């Protein structure tokens, strides 16, 4: 696809989608059989996260990595090595500062870009990509300003270029098994959902400036990898800074933006202790280390209550500055059953209960149900996904991005999902700043949610 | 103690407490050695819950049950049987309607009363008890109106008669072991706490009018025991109706009303589905049963976010209308560790993690820690508590009530705790009615929280 073909294709595709709202999903899928063999991809951001996308894209026969942009030449070299190891051609490099990605976007041999940059760049770069006729796949985070969410939606609507929200946890194997059980009606009517980002990131937010993890107490200019930019958000902001891993999976289960929508939230935050304590207690830190003077604004644990149009409630927890085992804290509860996730996605590590199946008032281990209701997509692509990042789920989200482009099919996680999920961050910051006040979550679909049908893992066999 | 002695005693006791605010706790305890051998008790409400208190009081050599009030003659007969089986003298009965308890209160041979009546009676009866010079021990629930909380505080301050909040879960063995670990500093500085009442009560809210549990779909006039009165609250009210089991234990850990206080809350509720569904699906119910027409106002899951003066946050969950295993959902998280409760208080059924003890990023089973830090009170009184209600914790809460009266010592859970915890209910109702708005939690101590010292299980060896 050239740039112009690409735009025409998506104009056609968009009108097809609009037309097909009244058609059953199967019809849409039939119409959307693959018509493009090869997707020409540009990578924007090839740091440690971006390199996983490079690895996945380089391994695919239906993708050519044309170019990559990143101001960090060391990261760029590593990314080129990944491509070389996969036996693919070297990508064109754009490493001339933060804005050189615009030259990548100006090329006419790129169909789509994957954006895996520091948070503040996601939406500006997605918008620039659409302006240049490229389809952006955008990594997770929260918005910096609420207006950013409107801007990305408006740009997509104006250009008719779709955007994919690359939320990998929607494809976590246990999460998809639970989605499968939800779709089969095993939980009854859903009522209450929880999720979060409960991950001790202290050893990521700080390092020694040379190696990325658990190596020191530096950040910002003296830090390396994520510590270079991510930690500053903990200095400047107090809110649900990373909502999508917790929210995305449960949003797909209750059809957010597709028959349902998020309406209101309020957030509260604990005092901020963990990051300062980490610096002071670290062998390379101490009370006299300059970073011991830094005031961190981010509360150690941020809780957000969300209401929906269809009467479910959601609780999100952001917990990244305290010592704790990793757990996204999922809970899916309906009129007939409840699942609680306690670990990191292992099939046998949660608790589950169904009124019509379990011994009364007694938790069951999840393993039996997870195996029995393993999602067809995982069964089919288990081997391809093996070795991909985050237990294989990264393969699925990148696969969906490429397969949809090839088929000219709507993305299962789209620009409205991106805007809605990203919006949690600035709204939660405002809520906390106002003492926990109630905030209205905008309807980025402008009423379309009432007629849009669920498409995440509905009917498709390929993504 | 006679009524007049009793009033004088407590006036003295109160001034002693006021005086002793600047004294170390050990001094207070030394001054508060037992000076009364026998406490003369009246029971107000001897239904299924009250009968457990009757059993515990009848078993004690330091208590005489003088009289009992309950309009239900069957329940009264059962309560008298309990006393007889314990080899104690029959109690004087007051069964002449809902207000006959006032005649019990008018007696001059009763020192204290235990109030275990339907929720709406707790505060009026506690106030009447104080007016009659009796010390009330009050069962758990939430207030009907916020003003009730002020009324009970004002009455106690005016009469100088103390009130004990009979929150048994504060004495649950694992909860007390965790409190012990909190006090030893093992969790570091506390940050975030969770609790709730997550208990499938459908088989309690409805029965056949003859047996209490899981026997039918009747309630109100046609119901039996709790179904007679408790269920109507689910028809009329939408809020955190039963806050104290979840809140009380975590409140003692962060010194609420004693160096800290609750400041604000907001609540959200899911749609209401579970109770209607239960009626419709029950073999004795069905879509044509008259109760299938009842509209239940109570959302199936109610979530409440609470903020504190010292910067901790609390999340409460009320979840009593859905199929699920019992779990109060405790979480205690500090700068150095986290505990998550997943079952019903079994020592080996939770997850725990301490930065300085656990394998990095890995949950440990709780059993080792629970055993090692088993609270001294439990070690000492394990045998006495054995067989008492709710795994023994009922023995401890009733023991505290009696021992404090004997020693003229301040109650570990007092009228300010009662008012603060009960207040969550009307405030959460208001929040939900206003779409999830932020509510201010009154300071019932009127500033005393700044100087009051923690006394729950501090220093005492007996309660």
């Amino acid at each position: 696809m050239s740039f112009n073909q690409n735009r025409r294709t998506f104009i056609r595709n968009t009108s097809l989608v609009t037309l097909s709202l009244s058609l059953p999903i199967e019809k849409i899928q039939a119409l959307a059989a693959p018509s493009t063999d090869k997707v020409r991809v540009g990578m924007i951001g090839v740091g440690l996260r971006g390199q996983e996308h490079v690895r996945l894209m380089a391994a695919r026969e239906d993708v050519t990595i044309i170019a990559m942009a990143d101001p960090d030449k060391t990261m760029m070299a590593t990314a080129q090595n990944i491509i070389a190891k996969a036996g693919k051609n070297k990508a064109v490099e754009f490493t001339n500062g933060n804005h050189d990605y615009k030259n990548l976007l100006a090329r006419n041999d790129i169909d789509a870009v994957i954006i895996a940059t520091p948070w503040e760049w996601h939406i500006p770069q997605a918008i620039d990509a659409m302006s240049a006729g490229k389809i952006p796949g955008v990594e997770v985070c929260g918005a910096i300003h609420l207006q950013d969410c409107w801007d990305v939606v408006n740009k997509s609507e104006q250009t008719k270029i779709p955007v994919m929200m690359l939320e990998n946890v929607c494809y976590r194997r246990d999460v998809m098994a639970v989605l499968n059980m939800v779709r089969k009606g095993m939980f009854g009517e859903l009522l209450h959902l929880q999720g979060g980002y409960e991950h001790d990131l202290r050893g990521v937010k700080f390092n020694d400036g040379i190696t990325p993890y658990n190596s020191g107490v530096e950040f910002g200019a003296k830090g390396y990898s994520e510590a270079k930019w991510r930690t500053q958000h903990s200095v400047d902001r107090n809110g649900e800074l990373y909502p999508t891993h917790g929210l995305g999976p449960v949003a797909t289960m209750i059809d957010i933006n597709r028959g349902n929508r998020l309406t209101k939230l309020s957030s509260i935050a604990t005092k901020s202790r963990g990051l300062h304590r980490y610096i002071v207690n670290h062998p390379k830190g101490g009370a006299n280390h300059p970073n011991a003077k830094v005031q961190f604004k981010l509360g150690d644990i941020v809780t957000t209550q969300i209401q929906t149009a269809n009467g479910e409630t959601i609780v999100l927890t952001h917990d990244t500055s305290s010592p704790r085992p990793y757990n996204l804290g999922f809970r899916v509860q309906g009129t007939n059953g409840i699942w609680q996730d306690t670990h990191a996605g292992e099939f046998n590590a949660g608790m589950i209960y169904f009124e019509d199946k379990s011994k009364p008032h007694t938790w069951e281990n999840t393993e039996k149900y997870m195996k029995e209701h393993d999602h067809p997509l995982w069964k089919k692509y288990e081997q391809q996904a093996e070795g991909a990042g985050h237990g294989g789920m990264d393969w699925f989200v990148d696969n969906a991005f490429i397969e949809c482009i090839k088929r000219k099919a709507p993305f299962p996680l789209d620009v409205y999902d991106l805007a809605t999920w990203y919006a949690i961050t600035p709204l939660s910051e405002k809520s906390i700043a106002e003492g926990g006040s109630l905030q209205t979550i905008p309807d980025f679909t402008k009423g379309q949610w009432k007629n849009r049908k669920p498409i995440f893992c509905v009917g498709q066999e390929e993504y």
Side-chain angles (χ1 to χ4, degrees), chain A residues 341-362:
Chain A
D341 158 44
T342 53
H343 288 68
E346 305 84 352
F347 264 18
N348 66 350
M351 306 184 298
I352 201 160
Y353 179 82
F354 295 109
E355 179 165 39
D356 52 350
K357 294 180 175 62
S358 309
K359 196 176 140 197
H361 303 278
T362 309

Side-chain angles (χ1 to χ4, degrees), chain A residues 120-131 136 138 143-163 415-416 418-420 422-423 426 442-446:
Chain A
E120 51 271 37
W121 289 93
H122 287 195
I123 288 182
Q125 288 173 335
I127 289 171
D128 286 345
M130 288 184 276
S131 295
V138 188
I144 308 297
H145 307 104
L146 185 61
Q147 184 58 41
D148 300 342
C149 302
W150 281 115
D151 290 348
V152 72
V153 164
N154 291 339
K155 178 58 85 171
S156 180
E157 291 179 346
Q158 285 156 16
T159 58
K160 312 286 184 202
I161 295 180
V163 177
V415 73
Y416 301 110
L418 185 150
T420 307
Y422 268 48
D443 171 16
F444 294 100
T445 74
K446 302 188 195 103

Side-chain angles (χ1 to χ4, degrees), chain A residues 182-431:
Chain A
V182 167
R183 295 263 171 87
K184 290 176 183 178
M186 289 169 64
F187 289 90
E189 184 177 352
L190 291 194
L191 298 165
H192 178 66
L193 304 105
Q194 298 183 1
Y197 193 61
E198 307 186 275
H199 188 183
D200 176 1
L201 288 182
R202 295 172 304 160
V204 174
K205 291 186 186 181
F206 302 104
N207 54 40
D208 63 0
I210 301 160
T211 57
Y213 305 128
N214 304 307
S215 55
V217 298
E218 303 299 341
F219 73 99
K222 293 187 175 177
Y224 176 68
S225 186
E226 284 174 83
K228 254 190 149 51
W229 56 271
R230 186 175 189 153
T231 317
Q232 191 62 36
H233 292 278
S234 302
V235 178
D236 297 334
R237 307 168 75 191
N238 193 7
E240 171 45 274
L241 297 189
Y242 209 57
T244 73
H245 286 329
L247 178 57
V250 301
T252 65
M253 295 179 194
I254 52 171
D255 304 327
I256 294 303
N257 293 328
R258 297 178 175 281
N260 196 2
R261 74 177 199 87
L262 308 182
T263 55
K264 285 180 286 190
L265 69 73
S266 60
S267 296
I268 59 175
T270 69
K271 50 192 150 191
S272 175
R273 292 289 185 271
L275 300 183
H276 173 77
R277 180 177 174 274
Y278 184 79
I279 292 163
V280 169
N281 290 345
H282 198 283
K284 295 185 184 167
N288 295 321
H289 190 283
N291 286 346
K293 289 194 190 71
V294 176
Q295 301 276 329
F296 294 94
K297 194 172 170 190
L298 178 63
D300 287 352
I301 294 124
V302 175
T303 310
T304 302
Q305 292 182 157
I306 304 177
Q307 299 175 63
T308 70
N310 290 352
E312 304 91 354
T313 58
I314 303 171
V315 175
L316 292 185
T317 307
H318 182 265
D319 172 6
T320 62
S321 304
S322 299
R324 58 158 302 132
Y326 179 93
N327 173 223
L328 299 188
F330 289 115
R331 169 167 167 172
V332 174
Q333 183 169 13
T335 53
N336 194 59
I338 177 169
W339 169 55
Q340 283 187 211
D341 158 44
T342 53
H343 288 68
E346 305 84 352
F347 264 18
N348 66 350
M351 306 184 298
I352 201 160
Y353 179 82
F354 295 109
E355 179 165 39
D356 52 350
K357 294 180 175 62
S358 309
K359 196 176 140 197
H361 303 278
T362 309
W363 290 115
E364 291 191 74
N365 183 278
T366 42
E367 188 166 26
K368 179 180 77 176
Y369 293 101
M370 294 294 183
K371 282 184 173 167
E372 188 177 339
H373 303 284
D374 194 19
H375 198 280
L377 212 56
W378 263 98
K379 284 187 192 163
K380 185 168 179 180
Y381 289 112
E382 182 175 7
Q383 288 192 309
Q384 282 91 327
E386 204 173 330
H390 297 100
M393 60 191 175
D394 289 351
W395 184 88
F396 287 92
V397 72
D398 280 12
N399 184 60
F401 182 57
I402 297 301
E403 291 294 341
C404 286
I405 293 172
K406 284 161 60 184
R407 284 167 171 71
K408 302 171 187 60
F411 287 130
L413 308 171
D414 68 9
V415 73
Y416 301 110
D417 299 318
L418 185 150
T420 307
W421 303 351
Y422 268 48
I424 301 304
T425 300
L427 290 168
S428 75
E429 289 180 80
K430 186 157 184 280
S431 177

